[in-house]
């Protein structure tokens, strides 16, 4: 497997603040990778280091095998970045912005691809509009288009859906998934954890400049393990004393139990019946990314 | 090469889109200077032998306008891109620092020359001097614009805010251009001020450019050429170092 993004022991300080502390991770070609963390965790700094906008104090970053400092031309050609801040050049139209961006990457006859990304991002009708005349969401689409003009194998989106309406979020993800299926590696930061949960295969969590989790989504969500949390509503509500050690919490007539293995379920139900209670409601609690995220940020297992 | 050409073209288009402000306005300003000063001073100021004051003033004004606009083009383009944040679109692509430098500076030289031609064109109605050494005039025009464009690039990279740039412009560029012999010949100055003028690099640009018109000047034209070229090389080296290091552009 080709390594699309290889980050080795990258540290970056801004004065007294350690923005990145020995961050190492690698993303394989074709992955859909999420970089999560609270504000100030270092996500944007890490992206800036990948893109050459910031220079790490130590460590190395390679994009498709090219060092972002020593071989910056090849590394930048391999990378398309959608910055988090909404920025645009007010002097030009949408199409001009894209033609210029192509030119900076050394591409001259790029009109067919530009037409295609305009179409995919729903910008065709705005192609000749001045950037100033566009709404925030439209400007965001142009930024995505600008990151894609040179067909980069690795695409990094820094909170691309922040402050963007539902329709654009949907259409943007459809397009990005299409690019991922076509072989592009996608790295994404987002505040919408459900987006990361539905889209990504692998997730890194950053906290205060350190990687605190780096796992497959399935592993992170415990999907591979047999451990399950279940909810029972019993009538009468009392829990048989033998089951007390499994109790997570209680809310009215509902109890939540943690089973180390789903195989225990039969035994649990048998004990409930033996105690003369009836099960009125039952649910297997699915772990979602938000719970995992909150727990990991607090330094606990979910 | 294509990256350079695109950035150069973009920079040209940027000022051309607002040509009323970037070309027409400085031409009008120069015309006003010419009308007022030639009326007020033509009988009081002694310039070169055999050269009328208005004729003397025209090349000075042409050069001053070119220099100020070359400076304005690089510096305002960069500070705007930095403050609005769209400079990121130039930092993400594989543009080398040499491409970046050359594109910005050449586009500013073009703006300077366009303004110079404009000022020249409106002075056709006045006592337009004939060019005695057109190549000298052209060489000083291009080199002078390149010096100020490079200075503008450095100022644009250094400044974080518009008022820092304005300070650079008002407290350095304006005094240097106004006290460079645009409006007078420095041989009429008292010795102290004459000596001080020789320390002003802009004086050599104006004086050398004027030599191209009249075949006479306050300083030897070769000395002026050496000072201006030397200044350009020093500033170029500084600007390229700043760009290579990513000073204030890449953190």
């Amino acid at each position: 497997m080709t390594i699309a993004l290889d980050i080795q022991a990258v540290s970056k300080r801004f004065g007294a603040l350690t923005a990145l502390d020995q961050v190492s991770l690698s993303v394989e070609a074709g992955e859909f990778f999420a970089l999560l963390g609270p504000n100030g965790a270092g996500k944007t700094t890490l992206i800036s280091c990948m893109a050459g906008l910031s220079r790490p104090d130590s460590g190395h970053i390679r994009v498709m095998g090219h060092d972002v400092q020593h071989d910056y031309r090849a590394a930048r050609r391999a990378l398309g970045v959608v910055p988090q801040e909404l920025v645009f050049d007010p002097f030009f139209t949408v199409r001009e912005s894209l033609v210029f961006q192509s030119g900076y990457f050394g591409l001259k006859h790029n009109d067919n691809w530009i037409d295609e990304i305009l179409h995919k991002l729903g910008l065709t009708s705005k192609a000749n509009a001045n950037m100033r005349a566009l709404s925030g969401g439209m400007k965001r689409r142009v930024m995505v288009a600008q990151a894609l003009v040179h067909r980069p194998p690795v695409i990094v989106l820094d909170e691309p859906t922040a402050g963007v309406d539902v329709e654009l979020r949907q259409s943007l993800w459809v397009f990005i998934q299409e690019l991922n299926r076509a072989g592009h590696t996608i790295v994404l930061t987002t505040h919408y954890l459900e987006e990361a949960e539905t889209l990504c295969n692998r997730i890194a969590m950053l906290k205060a400049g350190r990687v605190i989790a780096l796992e497959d989504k399935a592993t992170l969500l415990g999907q591979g393990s047999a451990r399950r949390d279940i909810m029972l509503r019993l009538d009468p509500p009392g829990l048989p004393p033998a089951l007390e050690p499994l109790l997570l919490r209680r809310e009215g007539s509902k109890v939540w139990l943690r089973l180390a293995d789903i195989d225990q379920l039969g035994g649990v139900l048998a004990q409930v019946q033996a105690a003369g209670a009836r099960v009125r409601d039952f649910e297997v609690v699915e772990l979602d990314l938000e719970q995992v995220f909150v727990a990991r940020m607090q330094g606990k297992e979910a | 090469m294509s990256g350079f050409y695109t950035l150069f073209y973009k920079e040209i288009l940027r000022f051309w889109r607002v040509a009323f402000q970037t070309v027409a306005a400085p031409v009008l300003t120069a015309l006003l200077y010419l009308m007022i000063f030639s009326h007020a001073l033509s009988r009081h100021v002694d310039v070169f032998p055999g050269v009328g004051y208005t004729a003397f003033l025209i090349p000075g004004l042409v050069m001053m306008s070119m220099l100020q606009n070359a400076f304005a083009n690089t510096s305002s383009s960069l500070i705007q891109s930095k403050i609005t944040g769209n400079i990121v679109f130039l930092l993400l692509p594989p543009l080398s620092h040499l491409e970046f430098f050359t594109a910005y500076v050449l586009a500013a030289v073009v703006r300077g020359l366009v303004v110079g031609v404009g000022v020249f064109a409106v002075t056709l109605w006045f006592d337009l001097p004939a060019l005695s050494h057109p190549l000298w005039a052209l060489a000083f025009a291009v080199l002078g614009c390149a010096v100020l464009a490079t200075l503008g690039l450095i100022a644009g990279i250094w400044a974080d805010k518009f008022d820092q740039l304005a300070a650079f412009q008002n407290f350095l560029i304006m005094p240097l251009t106004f006290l460079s012999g645009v409006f007078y010949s420095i041989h009429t100055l008292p010795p102290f001020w004459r000596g001080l003028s020789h320390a002003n690099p802009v004086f050599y640009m104006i004086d050398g450019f004027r030599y191209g018109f009249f075949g006479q000047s306050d300083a030897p034209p070769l000395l002026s050429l050496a000072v201006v070229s030397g200044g350009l090389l020093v500033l170029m080296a500084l600007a390229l170092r700043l760009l290579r290091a990513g000073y204030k552009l890449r953190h």
Side-chain angles (χ1 to χ4, degrees):
Chain A
M1 215 34 178
T2 320
I3 302 294
L5 192 59
D6 183 25
I7 299 171
Q8 292 295 331
V10 168
S11 292
K12 177 73 181 173
R13 300 178 68 88
F14 292 108
L17 175 84
T18 305
L20 295 174
D21 188 4
Q22 296 285 315
V23 171
S24 294
L25 56 92
S26 63
V27 178
E28 284 179 1
E31 273 196 273
F32 206 128
F33 189 89
L35 201 54
L36 305 179
N39 289 329
K43 305 181 298 286
T44 298
T45 306
L46 188 59
I47 290 174
S48 296
C49 289
M50 294 174 204
L53 300 174
S54 287
R55 293 172 180 187
D57 298 328
S58 60
H60 297 282
I61 301 180
R62 287 187 193 82
V63 181
M64 297 306 284
H66 305 287
D67 188 283
V68 298
Q69 297 206 60
H70 303 120
D71 193 7
Y72 73 92
R73 281 182 174 255
R76 287 187 206 161
R77 271 192 206 101
L79 191 66
V81 177
V82 184
Q84 188 180 134
E85 296 282 328
L86 195 60
V87 292
F88 60 97
D89 194 326
F91 284 91
F92 303 111
T93 67
V94 173
R95 183 178 292 279
E96 281 168 340
S97 298
L98 297 178
V99 171
F100 288 145
Q101 206 61 27
S102 300
Y104 301 149
F105 280 93
L107 303 170
K108 271 182 195 154
H109 307 288
N110 203 20
D111 293 336
N112 290 341
W113 175 239
I114 288 176
D115 285 338
E116 190 178 333
I117 42 185
L118 284 173
H119 172 70
K120 294 279 187 189
L121 288 163
L123 285 164
T124 306
S125 64
K126 302 281 181 192
N128 297 315
N130 186 287
M131 288 299 299
R132 267 175 308 199
L134 264 50
S135 67
M138 285 292 176
K139 285 184 184 126
R140 178 70 66 183
R141 295 183 203 207
V142 178
M143 288 180 66
V144 174
Q146 277 172 291
L148 298 177
V149 284
H150 57 298
R151 299 173 188 257
V154 183
I155 300 164
V156 177
L157 303 116
D158 195 357
E159 289 186 30
T161 50
V164 153
D165 63 59
V166 181
E167 192 197 348
L168 169 59
R169 271 161 69 182
Q170 297 297 339
S171 63
L172 182 63
W173 291 131
V174 168
F175 184 40
I176 298 292
Q177 280 178 305
E178 208 173 287
L179 289 166
N180 182 237
R181 276 194 295 274
H184 294 263
T185 310
I186 314 288
V187 175
L188 149 82
T189 77
T190 177
H191 272 147
Y192 301 100
L193 293 174
E194 67 272 29
E195 285 182 349
E197 194 174 332
T198 30
L199 295 164
C200 300
N201 349 97
R202 222 152 57 87
I203 290 167
M205 289 186 186
L206 248 63
K207 184 186 174 187
R210 292 173 152 271
V211 178
I212 59 161
L214 176 61
E215 281 160 67
D216 272 357
K217 180 178 64 184
T219 317
L220 204 59
L221 296 178
Q223 286 163 358
S225 98
R227 195 187 84 185
R228 290 289 184 281
D229 291 353
I230 58 164
M231 184 278 289
L232 295 174
R233 192 158 63 83
L234 301 176
D235 180 27
L239 188 68
L243 296 179
E244 288 287 343
L246 302 180
L247 183 68
L248 283 176
R249 64 193 170 96
R250 196 193 296 269
E251 200 180 293
S253 58
K254 290 180 180 176
V255 289
W256 277 264
L257 307 179
R258 172 159 292 177
L259 312 184
D261 193 308
I262 190 73
D263 281 350
Q264 290 175 286
L265 183 60
V268 168
L269 294 176
Q271 275 174 301
V272 168
Q273 266 187 328
R278 286 193 301 163
V279 177
R280 308 306 292 173
D281 202 354
F282 172 81
E283 195 180 292
V284 177
V285 182
E286 290 274 345
L287 208 52
D288 70 13
L289 194 55
E290 190 162 328
Q291 291 166 280
V292 177
F293 181 79
V294 169
R296 292 290 179 114
M297 288 302 147
Q298 291 166 351
K300 295 186 294 210
E301 286 281 317
Chain B
M1 199 57 197
S2 159
F4 154 75
Y5 178 76
T6 306
L7 183 53
F8 172 68
Y9 176 68
K10 189 219 73 164
E11 278 297 289
I12 299 274
L13 205 58
R14 191 196 69 90
F15 81 78
W16 195 247
R17 286 275 159 91
V18 284
F20 208 65
Q21 175 201 334
T22 55
V23 178
V27 169
L28 177 66
T29 307
L31 182 64
L32 292 172
Y33 275 129
L34 185 67
M35 294 194 319
I36 292 160
F37 282 95
S38 67
H39 171 75
L41 299 175
S42 57
R43 271 153 305 182
H44 309 288
V45 176
D46 177 28
V47 288
F48 295 160
V51 176
Y53 179 69
T54 307
F56 173 87
L57 185 57
I58 289 171
L61 281 174
V62 170
M63 191 62 167
M64 183 177 82
S65 308
M66 289 195 288
L67 299 178
Q68 287 177 346
N69 281 279
F71 178 85
N73 206 64
T74 40
S75 59
S76 64
S77 176
L78 269 166
I79 192 97
Q80 280 175 25
S81 288
K82 277 171 61 179
I83 285 177
T84 59
N86 64 41
I87 189 109
V88 74
F89 296 125
L90 298 178
L91 300 177
L92 292 172
L95 289 167
S96 72
H97 58 279
L98 204 62
E99 285 178 295
F100 190 98
F101 172 84
T102 324
Y104 267 98
V105 169
L106 283 186
V109 169
V110 170
R111 158 130 167 232
L113 295 180
V114 168
V115 170
V117 168
V119 176
F120 221 26
V122 297
T123 53
L124 282 172
W125 287 276
F126 292 81
D127 189 3
L128 186 71
L131 277 154
S132 67
H133 305 294
L135 285 180
W136 277 90
L138 185 66
F140 277 101
V142 171
L143 288 173
C145 286
V147 169
L148 270 288
T150 307
L151 207 55
L153 183 94
I154 294 168
I157 291 172
W158 165 77
D160 300 312
K161 296 181 283 187
F162 284 112
D163 61 335
Q164 287 176 328
L165 187 64
F168 200 98
Q169 194 150 20
N170 292 323
F171 291 92
L172 187 71
I173 305 299
M174 286 293 272
L176 285 181
T177 46
F178 270 81
L179 300 176
S180 62
V182 171
F183 300 101
Y184 50 82
S185 164
I186 66 157
H187 79 264
T188 59
L189 293 176
F192 171 76
W193 290 103
R194 198 188 311 160
L196 202 64
S197 296
H198 278 102
N200 178 357
V202 181
F203 155 73
Y204 297 94
M205 299 173 196
I206 305 275
D207 196 54
F209 186 65
R210 221 172 239 144
Y211 173 81
F213 284 80
F214 308 116
Q216 45 186 321
S217 53
D218 287 324
L222 270 175
L223 172 70
S224 298
L225 192 68
V227 170
V228 178
S229 315
L232 179 60
L233 288 176
V234 170
L235 289 172
M236 262 175 72
L238 175 62
L240 287 170
R241 255 188 83 176
L242 294 179
L243 287 173
R244 196 197 324 252
Y247 176 72
K248 291 213 177 180
L249 295 176
R250 300 183 192 275
H251 305 287

